[in-house]
Amino acid sequence: MEADREAFSKLIAGRELVVCAGSGGVGKTTTSAVIALHAAVEGRKVLVLTIDPAKRLANSLGVSSLENTPQRIPLDQFREHGLEPKGELWGMMLDMKQSFDHLVDRYSASEENRQEILNNKIYKYFSTSLAGTQEYAAAERLLELHTEEDYDLIVLDTPPTTHALDFLEAPVRLADAVENKALQWIYKPNLLTGRSGLGLFSAGTSYVVKALSKFTGTAFLDELAVFLRNFSSMFEGFRDRANQVRELLMGDKATFVVVTAPDPLQLDEALFFYEQLGTRQQVAVGGFVVNRVHPNWVPEAELKRPLVSLMNELEALEEPVGALSEETRRELAENLRENAAEFYTLALKDAGSLLRLREEIPQSIPMVQVPFFAQDIHSLEGLSRVREAIFGA
């Protein structure tokens, strides 16, 4: 286990981008916060950002909320938990709609062009409802933060597994869509007709417009024409930027950490995601974090002790336990033994899951464990305990 911790620490120390991915409810956000906190403690300037609109990351970091721009997290609050951070920690909740608007702000040809796009009804549908557009905008924002800001490390908390795959595939999918001949015929001038003006709305195709207007109404076509006229200039750079995002995610500066739990279904999904990342996305997984592992606290021999032996130990304790009646001590001893037996069963089950995971992935990939805690991690103290489990004391 110590060798895995050491290898995992080296993995994080050697990267500029860490992508935490996995199914829902396995502790991705907490893991992301802990990785970022640890790097900040070690002296790096770190940004941890989430695409999850829930406030879990903000709660974990001890702030009330996070916005769509980086926000510095006060690290003094961690000192009372025994940590001495040497670096900086920043947090951000990536709003996908605002991220697409940010793209418009950044790449519009003029202020007039920008206003026409933002106020256009087709754009509002395009940026909020069309599959993949928001994930694409988020990926572009990630690229911008990495290339233009001076963070030593960015930790990305992705949505649950299937959405994370959408996020990774979105740049290429949207670039492919923009380069589709049918779409290019609509928005590119001269592509097929050799005449000036937008393809669909050129004089040579006006009969198409007239025919379509019978079904859609002229208002829709007017909106579409304004959208295409203003937005077409932005299409040109999609492929280049999509390639840059892919190069960042697949390069040596980035690594993927799969977060899971020992539950068999969640482990199956983690292994599916691991396989998908390798075959479909062609990115390498650098490590696994397995949360909520039940430790084997009670040896099997203890479970076989006579009940009276446990009752005698309870009687030897100080008040109020030691002063309990014999009947109450018996009931308490039975409950303790039953609880210990259930925990022992869960520990055996989790050990089997860990063994299976270890056999399914290469030995070179570190697999660190976080023990089961009685309560979910929503405090700085809890974050500090998880950090100790992943990176050591």
Side-chain angles (χ1 to χ4, degrees):
M1 188 181 295
E2 196 56 42
D4 280 317
R5 283 181 183 150
E6 186 176 338
F8 193 80
S9 296
K10 287 182 179 176
L11 172 77
I12 302 303
R15 296 298 191 278
E16 296 177 7
L17 172 63
V18 175
V19 181
C20 293
S23 55
V26 295
K28 282 190 309 298
T29 300
T30 299
T31 302
S32 301
V34 166
I35 290 173
L37 172 64
H38 176 76
V41 168
E42 295 291 299
R44 303 176 78 184
K45 182 178 178 182
V46 187
L47 171 67
V48 54
L49 70 152
T50 182
I51 304 175
D52 189 342
K55 292 185 177 180
R56 283 190 287 269
L57 180 61
N59 293 337
S60 295
L61 296 175
V63 295
S64 58
S65 64
L66 291 171
E67 305 296 334
N68 193 45
T69 54
Q71 169 185 339
R72 189 163 183 176
I73 307 299
L75 290 179
D76 286 345
Q77 55 184 340
F78 290 97
R79 290 197 166 87
E80 62 185 82
H81 300 288
L83 300 179
E84 288 295 333
K86 302 169 189 168
E88 296 179 16
L89 180 59
W90 297 69
M92 175 177 169
M93 186 184 75
L94 212 159
D95 182 293
M96 296 199 190
K97 172 64 171 65
Q98 289 186 36
S99 295
F100 217 102
D101 291 349
H102 179 77
L103 272 181
V104 175
D105 292 342
R106 188 176 172 89
Y107 295 109
S108 293
S110 65
E111 174 59 23
E112 182 183 6
N113 177 249
R114 187 183 78 87
Q115 288 295 339
E116 283 194 310
I117 293 175
L118 292 178
N119 293 328
N120 185 268
K121 292 178 181 175
I122 302 294
Y123 167 74
K124 289 175 181 175
Y125 172 78
F126 180 84
S127 60
T128 57
S129 304
L130 196 63
T133 51
Q134 295 186 53
E135 286 81 359
Y136 170 81
E140 276 226 14
R141 189 79 172 101
L142 174 65
L143 175 68
E144 182 185 324
L145 288 165
H146 179 263
T147 55
E148 299 183 10
E149 305 288 342
D150 61 344
Y151 297 107
D152 300 319
L153 174 67
I154 296 176
V155 181
L156 175 64
D157 169 34
T158 66
T161 305
T162 52
H163 300 298
L165 290 172
D166 289 342
F167 171 78
L168 297 173
E169 293 175 350
V172 172
R173 280 215 315 266
L174 195 58
D176 287 344
V178 168
E179 292 183 354
N180 180 277
K181 290 294 182 187
L183 184 58
Q184 288 197 11
W185 178 72
I186 292 176
Y187 80 83
K188 273 194 171 181
N190 310 324
L191 184 66
L192 297 177
T193 64
R195 299 176 182 175
S196 60
L198 292 166
L200 178 63
F201 298 93
S202 66
T205 56
S206 59
Y207 70 95
V208 177
V209 175
K210 290 178 183 175
L212 284 174
S213 66
K214 294 179 181 177
F215 300 98
T216 65
T218 54
F220 171 80
L221 290 179
D222 288 343
E223 289 281 346
L224 180 60
V226 170
F227 170 71
L228 292 173
R229 183 180 68 238
N230 289 290
F231 208 76
S232 58
S233 61
M234 292 182 58
F235 283 163
E236 302 297 331
F238 276 11
R239 171 61 70 185
D240 289 342
R241 295 195 296 275
N243 287 338
Q244 291 178 45
V245 172
R246 293 288 299 170
E247 287 173 7
L248 171 63
L249 294 174
M250 296 170 65
D252 294 337
K253 294 178 181 177
T255 191
F256 283 71
V257 172
V258 176
V259 184
T260 186
D263 178 85
L265 292 178
Q266 290 169 329
L267 196 63
D268 285 344
E269 191 164 358
L271 288 169
F272 164 79
F273 193 46
Y274 168 71
E275 189 268 337
Q276 291 291 303
L277 284 171
T279 57
R280 248 170 72 180
Q281 302 298 325
Q282 298 180 328
V283 298
V285 172
F288 273 75
V289 174
V290 187
N291 285 315
R292 299 169 193 155
V293 177
H294 291 84
N296 190 3
W297 284 332
V298 183
E300 186 177 13
E302 287 290 310
L303 300 175
K304 297 177 180 176
R305 284 175 53 189
L307 190 64
V308 66
S309 171
L310 185 55
M311 291 174 61
N312 290 337
E313 288 192 18
L314 291 173
E315 188 176 19
L317 295 175
E318 295 180 356
E319 292 186 7
V321 176
L324 294 173
S325 67
E326 181 177 348
E327 182 180 355
T328 304
R329 277 189 290 116
R330 178 181 295 280
E331 184 177 349
L332 179 57
E334 287 175 343
N335 287 338
L336 285 173
R337 193 166 66 175
E338 182 181 353
N339 192 42
E342 290 176 357
F343 210 92
Y344 177 77
T345 302
L346 289 172
L348 285 182
K349 184 180 172 186
D350 289 357
S353 293
L354 292 172
L355 182 61
R356 179 188 163 210
L357 178 60
R358 185 73 277 175
E359 290 174 348
E360 296 271 357
I361 63 175
Q363 291 293 319
S364 58
I365 295 180
M367 185 182 82
V368 291
Q369 305 173 31
V370 177
F372 170 83
F373 295 112
Q375 297 178 329
D376 287 340
I377 303 299
H378 292 305
S379 67
L380 302 181
E381 182 184 4
L383 215 60
S384 182
R385 292 173 69 189
V386 176
R387 173 181 173 268
E388 190 171 323
I390 293 178
F391 294 99

